[in-house]
Amino acid sequence: MVVAANSSQTAAGAEGRRPSASARGAYEWTLLVVASLFGIVSVWFVGTIIWQSVSTFQSQGLYLLTGVNWVPGAGTGQPSQYGGRAMIIGTIETSLIAMVIAVVIGTGTALAINFFVPQKMKTFVATVVELLAAVPSVVYGVWGMLVLAPWFLNTIGPFLSSLPGGTAVLGTTVAGKSLLLAGIVLAIMVLPTYVAISREVIGAVPHELVEASLSLGATRWQTLWRTVIPTARIGLFGATSLSLGRAIGETVAVSLVCGGSVGTTFKPLEPGVTIAGWIATQWGEAVGSDQIGALFALGAILMVVSLAMSMFSRRLVAQQRRAAAVV
Amino acid sequence: MTQITSSSEQITSGEIRAHLRERSAATLRRRIFVSKVMTVFCWAAIVLAAIPLVALLLRLFVKGIPVLLKSGFFTQLPQQPTLFDQTNTGGVSNAIIGTIAMIVYATLASVPIGIIVGIYTAESDSKFASVIRVIASTMVGAPSILMGLFAFGVIVVQLKLGFSILAGSFALSVLMLPVLISSTEIAVRNVPTTLREAGLALGAKPSTTSLRIVLPAATTGIVTGAILAISRAVGETAPILLVIGGAYAITWKPNDPGSALSVSMYQDVSSSYDSLRDQAWGIGLLLVLVIFVLSFAARIWAARKQKVQR
C-alpha cells in the first residue's frame, strides 16, 4: 500500500547516485547474481502460466474468448468446450461498477480529508484508512456474503427491479448474489487503497496554488475542481489504475458474492462469474483433467491484461510527467 | 461626430456595466451554490465511504469475539458439525499452525532475496537494474491468484511435490518478493547521499560503504517494509487456496498438505451450518487483529527509531 504509493515517487525523483564502481567485488557479484535469480523467477512465472495453457489455446482457439459453454469433456466422450465469454464480461462489468463507485466516492473522500477534516483528526483518519487497506479481501467477501447479500435479496434488489425499466435493464435478483453486489463489494474493498493514495497526492498539491486560486475569487469547489484535481491528476490516475488492478484480479471476495453461474445476459442484478473467481471455484474439480489447462488459459488472459494495464499506466504517467516538466 | 459617439458609448457602457454587474452577481450566486453542493457531496462521500467500513469492522468484532472466546478455538482440531450436533465446530489449531508455518517459510525464502534485489536496484543504474525495477513494480500489481497458478505449475506439476505447505509458501514468497524489493529500494534511496559520499571520501570501498554505512541507516525502512509484506501475506487467500491441499491435522512439515486461516475462513463461510459460518467471523477477526498488530508494530517501531536518529 504505502509501498506502492511511494514507488511512483521514486520513479520521478532523480536522486543522486554514487558513481558506478568499475571493479566488481564479491559484494557486487552477490547483488547481481541474486537480482538475476529474481529475473529468472519472473520469466519462469510468465513461462509456466503460458506453457500450461498452450494446449487449451490450441484446442479452443478463439472460442476461449467468445464461447458461452464451459463443459469439460472428460468421461462423456465429447470434446471439451471452454468458452470464457461470461468470465471476461463478468470481470469487466464488476470492475467497471467498482471503479465508478470507488473513484467518485474515493476522490470526494480524499478531498474532504485534505480540506474539510480538522487538522487534528487528519492523522487519525489517515491511519484508519491505511489500516483498512490492509484488511484481507476474504473478510470483505464474507461480510458481503453474510450481510450484504440477504439485504440485497430482500430490500435493494426488489427496489431496483421495481424502478421503471428496472427488470429490463438490471434484471431480477434470485439470491442477492449478483454482479452488481460483486461490484459494490469490490468498490468497498478498493476504497481504502484508493483513498490512501489519492489523499497523499492531493495533500502534495502546493499550498500556494490553492491560495492563489482562492485569492483570485474562485470558490472552494472551483479551487478543488480546477486547480487541485488537475494538479494531482497523475497521482489520481495512478491510484485508479492500482485499484483497477486489484478489482480485476480479486478472487475470493468476488467468488463469494457474484453468484457463480455462467450466464448469458450479464444483467447487474443477476448472478455471474469473473475470471479469477471462476479459477478458484472450479479448481477443486479441475485438478487432474484438461480443465486445469483451461483455467490456466483464463489466468494467462488475466496476466496479459494486468501486464498491459501496468505498462500502459506507466507509459502514460511518464508522458504526463514529461509534459508537466516542460510546462 | 466624436461627441455623439462618446455620449452614446457612455450610455451603452453604463447599460453594459449594469448588465454585467447583474450577471456577475448571478454567476457568483451560482458559483457559491455549486460550491456548497459539492462541499456537501465531499462530506457525503466521506460518510458513504465510512459507513460500510465501520459496519464491517463492527460486525466482525461483534460476531468474532464470542468465537475467539469459545473454549478450544485456538487449541482444537476442526470438527464437522452434524444435524444432531450443529454447534460442534471444534477449533482452528491446524489452520493457525499452517498459517504460521507458511509465513515462516515464505519469510525465510523471500526476505533475504527481496532485500538483496532491492539494494541492487537502489544502487545500480545499469540497464539490467531498471529492467528488474520494472518487473518488480509490475509484479506488485499482478493478481495474487496468478502466484497460486505459478506455484501449482512449479511445485505440483514440474517438481511433483504435491499439494503442500511448501507450495503455499512458494506462492506467498513470490507474492512478497516484489513488495520487499520496492520497499527496500525506497528505504535505501532515502538514505542521504551525503552519508554515502562521506564513507567513500574516507576511502572506504563502495561495498564497505553500502554494508556498513548505508544499510544500517536504511534498516528502519527495510524492516518496516518487510513487516508490511508479511502482513499482506497473512491474509492472502487465493494463491494458497489452489495449492495447499487442505488437511485436518497439525503439521509443520513443508511437504505435507496443510491448512491456513484464510482458506478455512473461505471454506467455512460456504458451509450450510450456521455454526461454521459464525466461526468464519472469528477467523476473520483473528486475521484482522494479527494484521493490525503487525502494522501498528511496524509504525511505532519506525517512529521510535526515527526519533532516536534525530
Side-chain angles (χ1 to χ4, degrees), chain A residues 48-109:
Chain A
T48 304
I49 290 175
I50 302 281
W51 179 248
Q52 295 285 333
S53 49
V54 164
S55 63
T56 309
F57 279 122
Q58 278 170 350
S59 68
Q60 303 292 326
L62 266 185
Y63 191 80
L64 188 69
L65 298 178
T66 58
V68 286
N69 293 323
W70 188 277
V71 191
T76 60
Q78 303 286 326
S80 302
Q81 275 189 309
Y82 295 120
R85 194 178 74 143
M87 299 87 195
I88 293 169
I89 296 182
T91 306
I92 296 172
E93 193 172 327
T94 50
S95 317
L96 269 185
I97 295 173
M99 288 326 289
V100 169
I101 300 175
V103 168
V104 171
I105 294 187
T107 312
T109 306

Side-chain angles (χ1 to χ4, degrees), chain B residues 101-114 169 173 176 180 230:
Chain B
M102 259 187 309
I103 294 295
V104 168
Y105 301 145
T107 304
L108 288 180
S110 64
V111 166
I113 300 182
S169 1
S173 51
M176 288 163 69
L180 287 161
I230 292 172

Side-chain angles (χ1 to χ4, degrees), chain A residues 227-247:
Chain A
T227 306
V228 173
I229 291 186
T231 312
R233 70 180 187 285
I234 302 174
L236 290 178
F237 175 77
T240 310
S241 67
L242 195 85
S243 311
L244 180 60
R246 274 196 77 187

